[in-house]
Amino acid sequence: MFEDRSGLLADNPPFRGYGAAVTAGPDGARVFVAGFGAANRVLRWDDGRVVDTACGVLADEGRHAIGVAAADLDADGREEVYVHNVASFGGTSNEADLLLDPTGEGTWRDLFADPLNRGRENYRVGRSVAAIDRLGTGRYGMYVTGYGSPGRFYEVGDDGGITDLADAVGLDVVTGGRSVVVGPILSDRTDLFLGTERGPNLLLRNAGGTFVDVAREYGVDDPEENARGAALVTPDGASTPDIVCGNWNGENRLFTLADDAFTDTAPPDLARPARVRTVIAADFDNDGRQELFMNCLGAPNRLLVDDGGWTQTGVGDALESEGLGTGAAVTDIDGDGTLELLMVHGEGEAQPLSLFAAPNDGDWLRVRPLTANGAPARGARVDLQTDAGHQSRVIDAGSGYLCQMEPVAHFGLGSATPESLTVRWPDGRERTYTDLDARTTMTCSHPGS
């Protein structure tokens, strides 16, 4: 399916990288790639090439970045970027995290470096990072998984002060936390699935701004497996998304909710063990059905198509049988209506980034829900009805493994005609649109803005 577009990367030397997060810049998407002992990269489309624009505090050369996510923490309409630095395997690290705030003048500052926040830096070791709008206000906090230490959950006050509220809201769990995927999984608000190793997964249901683990009750704890990547995928017409969990050299899971419990419905092609790192759900070929991509470490990558039962298909140039895959992210970086897949490598050895796309002639519709402050509404659910069926997407707040996808609901249409679209924000408000055109990008303002 995929064709190699790595030649579009203007400067692409071997690189040890891990997570990647997509945020909206003033001139298009920007992909923040975490550098592990190397400078971070910030990629954007510029005059037919993908260029690295990282400098200063963004590049932060020398630390060991691993997980990364973006969201609007201070309600100013612009997304901050949280970078989790890890200089040891577990416990604590001697490298602090970064919380990068755009000033609006093209520069960035680290909020942890503000004198107001002295002593509030994070030195606990984790893996993935995710944005959570726990109250539905459009003001996000950042959750950092713990790996042998309690997780962190940071919110930013009006004065710029950073506060860890993990113990107050039920997110100070101690696990071998690897991946975190966020969205309206059980409640109408923002819930979390936390994939772990050496112990059970967690499913943290939002109970009015605090979180309660119901993984065992709902059958997703899976204590004998070692989770890596995770993603949400919503079958046609389903009110609850399925949870795809890629396990390290163990059977992969497709948790589907029925009769108040999840059961593993993974067919053989999906369940087959692999050296999984990141799992991504996206419609790469614009045919109206999502594919599942598994970025693997030192083994061939895998692609599955939804033909009524998730079967493996040819991955094309993105096979990378000797790729040391870590993170991966999806965005339409060149604005042509077809998604690009950026793959990051570097577990044990530096390798160049890879960029792939699946050329096609299918129609598409892209939807950007916004908060009341004008920032991406991560965690919102978008449902599209066409004359060929129903599709659902959740605006990504954290998924894959160490990563975060673009804050856009991308719908492939094939030859279908879009009929109606409903956006449900994390506060429960909804808005429905019926005047839809293919091959366009819609911006959907919050009903309260």
Side-chain angles (χ1 to χ4, degrees):
M1 175 181 284
F2 288 106
E3 291 186 359
D4 190 355
R5 300 288 178 83
S6 302
L8 294 174
L9 295 161
D11 185 20
N12 192 25
F15 171 74
R16 289 196 68 192
Y18 277 82
V22 186
T23 185
D27 47 5
R30 297 180 187 273
V31 186
F32 190 104
V33 183
F36 192 77
N40 302 317
R41 297 184 180 182
V42 180
L43 307 177
R44 69 175 179 86
W45 184 255
D46 182 32
D47 194 25
R49 305 293 298 277
V50 179
V51 300
D52 179 12
T53 62
C55 60
V57 71
L58 289 177
D60 192 41
E61 187 168 1
R63 278 190 265 201
H64 297 78
I66 183 167
V68 59
D72 183 11
L73 276 69
D74 57 5
D76 68 352
R78 300 186 297 266
E79 291 197 309
E80 285 70 46
V81 176
Y82 191 102
V83 185
H84 182 41
N85 292 306
V86 173
S88 59
F89 184 79
T92 59
S93 168
N94 61 4
E95 294 181 358
D97 292 349
L98 301 177
L99 181 52
L100 301 172
D101 178 33
T103 66
E105 301 174 353
T107 60
W108 295 71
R109 64 191 184 108
D110 176 19
L111 290 182
F112 278 122
D114 191 300
L116 177 64
N117 294 313
R118 186 171 292 118
R120 303 181 186 183
E121 305 93 331
N122 180 40
Y123 291 97
R124 295 179 187 171
V125 170
R127 294 295 186 270
S128 293
V129 184
I132 303 173
D133 182 3
R134 63 185 180 92
L135 297 172
T137 62
R139 190 164 191 153
Y140 292 81
M142 281 294 182
Y143 173 63
V144 187
T145 62
Y147 195 89
S149 59
R152 296 281 207 182
F153 180 66
Y154 289 111
E155 291 187 352
V156 175
D158 289 339
D159 61 354
I162 302 170
T163 303
D164 177 17
L165 295 175
D167 60 343
V169 302
L171 293 176
D172 59 336
V173 291
V174 181
T175 67
R178 285 284 186 170
S179 57
V180 58
V181 61
V182 176
I185 301 170
L186 290 174
S187 72
D188 292 334
R189 303 298 175 93
T190 301
D191 308 310
L192 293 82
F193 172 80
L194 178 58
T196 73
E197 66 178 356
R198 302 186 182 98
N201 301 323
L202 305 183
L203 180 57
L204 298 164
R205 180 169 57 189
N206 190 333
T210 61
F211 296 87
V212 179
D213 179 27
V214 295
R216 185 175 181 182
E217 173 187 346
Y218 278 86
V220 299
D221 50 333
D222 206 16
E224 301 304 317
E225 293 293 348
N226 295 296
R228 288 300 188 272
L232 300 179
V233 61
T234 305
D236 188 1
S239 59
T240 301
D242 291 349
I243 304 169
V244 185
C245 184
N247 290 314
W248 177 250
N249 283 331
E251 289 196 357
N252 305 305
R253 307 299 191 192
L254 179 66
F255 293 118
T256 300
L257 185 64
D259 299 325
D260 296 323
F262 285 93
T263 57
D264 178 22
T265 62
D269 278 5
L270 175 55
R272 182 166 57 86
R275 296 169 60 87
V276 176
R277 276 305 201 240
T278 294
V279 176
I280 290 175
D283 187 355
F284 293 103
D285 59 3
N286 283 338
D287 69 348
R289 298 175 298 175
Q290 286 184 297
E291 292 82 46
L292 290 177
F293 179 80
M294 293 185 173
N295 190 20
C296 296
L297 172 63
N301 297 320
R302 297 171 58 188
L303 184 70
L304 297 103
V305 295
D306 181 9
D307 55 4
W310 293 116
T311 58
Q312 188 161 330
T313 190
V315 71
D317 291 342
L319 185 68
E320 292 201 334
S321 58
E322 297 181 359
L324 300 174
T326 49
V330 169
T331 183
D332 179 12
I333 199 166
D334 57 2
D336 67 352
T338 296
L339 294 173
E340 279 76 41
L341 170 65
L342 179 77
M343 288 165 47
V344 187
H345 316 89
E347 179 103 355
E349 179 184 327
Q351 293 181 340
L353 300 172
S354 299
L355 187 68
F356 300 96
N360 64 84
D361 296 322
D363 282 342
W364 47 272
L365 177 65
R366 289 169 58 78
V367 183
R368 299 178 183 273
L370 302 179
T371 68
N373 299 306
R378 296 189 184 270
R381 174 167 168 155
V382 185
D383 288 88
L384 175 68
Q385 184 67 44
T386 75
D387 61 356
H390 179 269
Q391 300 184 50
S392 296
R393 304 284 187 269
V394 175
I395 304 300
D396 197 61
S399 68
Y401 171 53
L402 312 173
C403 295
Q404 188 187 57
M405 311 306 142
E406 64 175 355
V408 180
H410 178 95
F411 296 101
L413 298 175
S415 58
T417 300
E419 296 178 340
S420 66
L421 178 85
T422 299
V423 179
R424 184 180 180 88
W425 277 266
D427 63 358
R429 298 196 198 189
E430 291 186 359
R431 178 171 281 175
T432 298
Y433 306 80
T434 55
D435 186 13
L436 308 176
D437 294 313
R439 295 182 177 263
T440 60
T441 298
M442 295 177 55
T443 298
C444 300
S445 59
H446 186 273
S449 63

